[in-house]
Amino acid sequence: MSARRPLPQRIAGERVTLRQTGGDGPVRYDVRRRGKREVIGEVVVDLSREAPFISRLCIDETARGYGAGSGAATALLRSLGRRYGVVRTWAPPDRGLAVYFWVRMGFRPLAGEGPKGGLWFEQVLRKGRRGGRG
């Protein structure tokens, strides 16, 4: 397994900003609209695996439909791409919109059952690099 490469405390995207919210274990970010203080979602990334694993990307229901989820994913993937070659995520088995979201964000489904019976997804961030090696 490769060494964990830390992510920045703050990741600025075109529409949203991700701000790390301390603690050990998986890296947690609050999602905020650019220039606003209100937290509208959360992103959680586990860096302890071979490849980073986005275990959660959730935008509050009232803030959905305005590009916050896509903006958060795009900003996070750009940051991960500077450090890792591949990233993985998953979609719950009962959330078709989550499947559509990850496919639209450039992920491809993987064989085998994902967490909680869901689907695994993977995206190659840098050609020629697999897993957490980089």
Side-chain angles (χ1 to χ4, degrees):
M1 192 177 316
S2 66
R4 177 180 164 152
R5 292 185 275 300
L7 293 174
Q9 294 288 319
R10 183 176 179 274
I11 301 173
E14 188 176 314
R15 294 184 175 127
V16 298
T17 300
L18 308 179
R19 293 193 183 174
Q20 225 177 94
T21 59
D24 292 330
V27 180
R28 297 179 182 280
Y29 286 97
D30 284 342
V31 179
R32 301 167 193 218
R33 293 205 186 283
R34 294 276 313 248
K36 307 286 184 184
R37 292 179 184 242
E38 176 189 6
V39 174
I40 60 167
E42 178 184 47
V43 176
V44 179
V45 183
D46 183 348
L47 299 176
S48 69
R49 300 169 182 235
E50 181 182 346
F53 169 58
I54 303 170
S55 61
R56 180 173 173 83
L57 192 160
C58 186
I59 302 298
D60 296 344
E61 199 169 325
T62 57
R64 291 182 191 160
Y66 299 97
S70 298
T74 299
L76 178 64
L77 293 171
R78 186 178 57 246
S79 184
L80 286 168
R82 293 183 185 116
R83 295 160 178 80
Y84 297 92
V86 171
V87 63
R88 295 194 177 107
T89 192
W90 73 291
D94 60 343
R95 299 279 196 272
L97 285 178
V99 171
Y100 174 72
F101 175 82
W102 289 120
V103 168
R104 190 169 48 86
M105 294 306 304
F107 283 77
R108 66 179 180 87
L110 297 176
E113 188 173 300
K116 301 177 186 177
L119 300 171
W120 280 113
F121 289 91
E122 178 180 88
Q123 185 177 123
V124 175
L125 300 170
R126 290 187 279 171
K127 301 255 187 241
R129 298 223 166 141
R130 301 290 301 173
R133 297 172 206 51

